[in-house]
């Protein structure tokens, strides 16, 4: 049974993160967008404060704070919404393993977890992990990756390129997915942890993006890059890369969906305040139309939040949640996109101005229907699962 009440501890986490988002993140978000980065000193402070999105991969962290591991995914969606309410690009810039954490958590040995997660507590410097799946010719078509891995003695040789990798340029290590036989699709995928400085591994261009500009997105190139057996994730005699890549999404999609809810909510609140101050809602038919547009947007965001919570709760309970994770992502990305569009519309020129956060959120939100699986891909996952269910019915 899903409980819609947050307990005292979860409420405390939410309130603390909301305060941080409002007081520390919002005031610098526009400048970070223009600079294409958050200041290093600020990221160091974030690290010192112990704010980390590594919660997914570090369940023990939450246990130390008094939660059981069973609330880890719920904490992630609550944190995702509140911090993205402050700024979406900030959340992606929080030091830690990021998307690279879950495959290590799912497939890694105890020694690998110790070695790769240990990097983040080495000193006070902001350090990152990354997740390298997408390639210039393989985004949605994950099974079609062309980065190859060939066995050579007690190591593997990787060749290929990855693109649009969040924090890829500054990561201490990247979980890279490669295939030992391109003709075999997903059956031949393996996951490797490639460490910064490994010969044959280099960073290509840093992308200039429409939105989420303060989050670094990089191209990565692998040319005869030798990775030892000790850095292969999963059983050495089995190709488990595809499973690791997909399991990652089951736990991260609800959080990414919750981030979209946070950005949409921020935009509607800002537009509502603007319209109230301008007396717009008292302006007869125009006021009624705009009030209804914002209220409709908020209603959809609340539905999206419940979908996120359900998917996260199922993950915490150890239940298969691929369909529900995709439902939350498909619905929330669209609802938030509509919310940001309605907010710009309601504010008119004030919403389009270059120094307006609503303008930035409108640019930021589009990518939520693209990364972590596009809207179309989520719909395919949902349809397949629904049809399987119908067959058994
Ligand atoms: C800001 C940002 C950060 C990112 N971070 C990472 C990261 O850290 N790691 C990583 O590995 N990747 C990352 N990505 C890449 C992201 O996951 C891909 O962009 C995404 O998977 C879509 O792939 P694509 O862009 O190649 O689009 P394509 O797959 O080429 O799709 C183009 C269009 O075709 C549609 N389409 C494709 N296949 C089908 C189909 N079978 N049926 C119906 N429609 C279809 C898509 O929905 C889309 O509308 C990031 C991307 C962005 C923009």
């Amino acid at each position: 049974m899903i409980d819609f009440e947050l307990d005292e501890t979860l409420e405390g986490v939410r309130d603390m993160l909301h305060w941080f988002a409002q007081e520390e993140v919002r005031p610098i978000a526009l400048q970070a967008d223009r600079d294409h980065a958050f200041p290093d000193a600020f990221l160091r402070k974030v690290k010192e404060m112990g704010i980390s999105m590594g919660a997914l991969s570090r369940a023990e962290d939450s246990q130390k704070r008094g939660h059981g591991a069973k609330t880890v995914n719920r904490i992630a969606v609550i944190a995702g919404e509140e911090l993205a309410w402050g700024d979406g690009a900030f959340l992606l810039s929080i030091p830690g393993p990021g998307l690279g954490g879950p495959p290590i958590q799912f497939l890694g040995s105890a020694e690998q977890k110790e070695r790769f997660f240990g990097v983040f507590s080495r000193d006070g410097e902001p350090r990152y992990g990354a997740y390298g799946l997408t390639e210039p010719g393989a985004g949605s078509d994950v099974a079609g990756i062309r980065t190859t891995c060939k066995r050579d003695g007690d190591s593997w040789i990787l060749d290929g390129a990855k693109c649009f990798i969040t924090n890829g340029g500054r990561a201490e290590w990247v979980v890279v997915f490669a295939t030992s036989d391109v003709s075999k699709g997903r059956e031949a995928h393996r996951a490797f942890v490639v460490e910064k400085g490994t010969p044959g591994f280099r960073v290509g261009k840093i992308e200039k993006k429409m939105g989420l500009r303060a989050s670094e997105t990089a191209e990565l190139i692998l040319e005869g890059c030798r990775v030892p057996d000790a850095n292969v994730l999963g059983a050495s005699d089995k190709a488990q890369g595809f499973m690791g890549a997909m399991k990652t999404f089951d736990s991260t999609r609800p959080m990414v969906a919750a981030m979209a809810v946070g950005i949409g909510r921020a935009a509607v609140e800002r537009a509502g305040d603007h319209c109230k101050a301008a007396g717009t809602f008292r302006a007869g038919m125009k006021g009624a139309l705009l009030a209804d547009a914002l209220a409709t947007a908020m209603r959809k965001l609340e539905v999206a939040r419940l979908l996120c919570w359900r998917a996260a709760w199922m993950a915490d309970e150890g239940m298969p949640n691929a369909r529900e994770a995709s439902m939350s992502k498909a619905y929330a990305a669209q609802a938030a996109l509509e919310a940001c569009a309605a907010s710009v519309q309601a504010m008119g020129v004030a919403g389009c101005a270059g120094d307006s956060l609503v303008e930035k959120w409108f640019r930021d939100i589009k990518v939520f229907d693209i990364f972590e699986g596009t809207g179309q891909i989520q719909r395919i996952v949902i349809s397949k699962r629904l049809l399987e269910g119908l067959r058994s019915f």
Side-chain angles (χ1 to χ4, degrees), residues 131 133-134 139-140 164-166 209 367 370-371 374 376 380:
Y131 175 92
L133 180 63
T134 304
S140 303
F164 271 88
I165 307 305
T166 300
K209 307 189 296 296
V367 79
I370 295 178
F371 65 5
T374 66
Q376 284 85 351
I380 290 172

Side-chain angles (χ1 to χ4, degrees), residues 92 99 130-142 162-168 175 177 209 211-212 215-217 249 367 369-377 380:
L92 299 177
L99 265 187
Y131 175 92
L133 180 63
T134 304
E135 300 180 1
S140 303
D141 177 20
V142 174
K162 300 286 174 183
C163 63
F164 271 88
I165 307 305
T166 300
N167 296 320
V175 176
F177 296 87
K209 307 189 296 296
L212 297 179
S215 161
E216 186 206 76
T217 318
F249 293 140
V367 79
D369 211 17
I370 295 178
F371 65 5
E372 295 263 323
T374 66
Q376 284 85 351
I377 295 305
I380 290 172

Side-chain angles (χ1 to χ4, degrees), residues 31-44:
Q31 192 55 46
D33 188 62
R34 291 178 191 132
D35 296 343
H36 291 241
F38 281 90
D40 284 345
F42 175 69
L43 295 173
R44 260 185 224 110

Side-chain angles (χ1 to χ4, degrees), residues 197-211:
T198 305
F201 175 53
R202 67 184 166 87
V203 178
K205 69 174 168 174
I206 303 293
E207 298 293 341
K208 292 211 166 8
K209 307 189 296 296
M210 171 175 84

Side-chain angles (χ1 to χ4, degrees), residues 303-314:
V303 173
R305 178 187 295 128
L306 292 179
L307 288 171
C308 296
W309 284 18
R310 178 179 68 167
W313 170 80
M314 289 175 76

